[in-house]
Amino acid sequence: MKKLFVLISLLFTFNVMASSVTKEMCINKGEDFIYVVSECIEYRYFEGEDNEALNIIVHGTWDEGTNTLGRYEPFAETVNLETDIATIAIALPGYSNSSSNKFLSLGNKKAKNLAAKKEYVIFVAEVLSALKKEYNAKILNYIGHSAGAMIGATITGLKPELINNIVLAGGRYDIHQVSDEKNLISIVDVLNNVNTDINFLFIYGEKDKISKPEVTISFENKMKKLGFNTRLVEVKNAPHIDLDMSDKSLEAISELLSN
């Protein structure tokens, strides 16, 4: 029994140590990692003919520990080829080989509404800024799906000069419609700060049951009436999963970013 207790203790210690990645450790992992605000973020970079602009793809909520880069690396390469723009897919904390030093994964059972917490949204904005600086980009294009879309939309109000073009697929734009939890934030709370020069592409799936079509349709209509540059795209018969990767979405993304 004592040996079992020691083994369990060792395994617990190993897991804690494995999640505590220092800046030096992160640097030593190689060029596919960047250390930002106490987190070591894994990403994939595809060089483009236009390296003054940078596309950054941000995933949504998956089960904790999911290899999101396994799904998004091919998509990033496709976006790169379609637009000729340097493209990055990132793994948020707790996914692929990204650390979880300070932030839990979006899918952690203790991390309810993490994508609507200001501290987390600011963290993602810092990741974007660090990658923009790392690759000397002048234009930043954001492509977000689900929780990634909600985060990106909020960033446009918190950091209005950071993103130039934004693609929002299957997102939520008013967290207060689905949660009474205090201290949550989404773009509706910072809409007055959003730069009117940003180009918004909203994408929804006709069969999406997680972010229902009316969520996107109504908010895009609201932004359009307020004078923002918006475009709305419907993907027929599309559910929530992989909505951003559909052919119709890719066509709309390419059109937005190639202009």
Side-chain angles (χ1 to χ4, degrees):
M1 189 71 180
K2 185 177 180 181
K3 289 183 178 179
L4 179 60
F5 176 79
V6 171
L7 178 59
I8 292 172
S9 298
L10 287 172
L11 288 172
F12 176 78
T13 302
F14 173 77
N15 287 333
V16 171
M17 291 176 64
S19 65
S20 301
V21 181
T22 66
K23 183 175 183 179
E24 183 179 3
M25 291 166 63
C26 187
I27 291 171
N28 290 335
K29 283 177 173 287
E31 60 183 15
D32 287 340
F33 292 84
I34 189 166
Y35 194 78
V36 183
V37 193
S38 301
E39 296 290 5
C40 184
I41 298 300
E42 186 180 17
Y43 67 95
R44 293 292 181 271
Y45 172 78
F46 295 93
E47 187 174 3
E49 291 186 14
D50 180 0
N51 290 317
E52 288 193 350
L54 182 64
N55 303 326
I56 298 183
I57 301 171
V58 181
H59 63 81
T61 302
W62 292 87
D63 289 341
E64 187 170 27
T66 297
N67 178 19
T68 54
L69 287 179
R71 300 183 67 91
Y72 276 88
E73 183 175 356
F75 179 55
E77 185 174 19
T78 300
V79 171
N80 167 249
L81 292 172
E82 289 288 331
T83 63
D84 290 327
I85 296 172
T87 301
I88 288 175
I90 68 171
L92 294 172
Y95 294 103
S96 294
N97 291 307
S98 291
S99 64
S100 188
N101 294 337
K102 184 175 181 180
F103 296 102
L104 297 174
S105 74
L106 292 173
N108 188 289
K109 302 304 180 183
K110 298 178 181 179
K112 187 177 180 181
N113 292 320
L114 184 58
K117 299 290 177 67
K118 187 174 182 179
E119 183 183 20
Y120 190 87
V121 176
I122 291 294
F123 161 71
V124 176
E126 292 295 330
V127 174
L128 302 180
S129 297
L131 288 169
K132 184 179 180 181
K133 181 178 179 180
E134 178 74 15
Y135 291 98
N136 299 311
K138 296 179 180 178
I139 296 173
L140 182 61
N141 305 317
Y142 184 103
I143 302 168
H145 175 248
S146 193
M150 183 166 71
I151 292 167
T154 308
I155 289 173
T156 63
L158 292 176
K159 302 285 183 178
E161 303 304 322
L162 180 59
I163 296 171
N164 300 93
N165 301 289
I166 187 164
V167 179
L168 304 168
R172 180 165 291 282
Y173 312 104
D174 186 351
I175 189 64
H176 312 293
Q177 292 179 343
V178 294
S179 177
D180 294 327
E181 184 181 348
K182 295 181 179 180
N183 301 319
L184 297 183
I185 189 170
S186 51
I187 186 175
V188 70
D189 301 302
V190 289
L191 198 53
N192 290 339
N193 298 329
V194 177
N195 189 333
T196 54
D197 290 332
I198 299 173
N199 295 306
F200 285 82
L201 172 60
F202 289 90
I203 300 173
Y204 70 92
E206 183 187 25
K207 299 293 180 63
D208 192 337
K209 295 181 179 180
I210 295 176
S211 176
K212 295 182 179 180
E214 55 265 29
V215 170
T216 300
I217 294 169
S218 62
F219 191 74
E220 187 273 341
N221 185 54
K222 177 178 181 177
M223 288 196 71
K224 187 180 289 292
K225 287 181 177 179
L226 290 172
F228 290 98
N229 300 317
T230 68
R231 181 188 172 197
L232 182 66
V233 170
E234 177 192 51
V235 183
K236 293 287 188 183
N237 298 312
H240 188 72
I241 190 169
D242 295 340
L243 172 63
D244 49 336
M245 301 182 189
S246 66
D247 290 342
K248 184 69 177 290
S249 296
L250 184 59
E251 179 184 340
I253 292 169
S254 299
E255 185 176 340
L256 171 68
L257 303 182
S258 297
N259 290 334

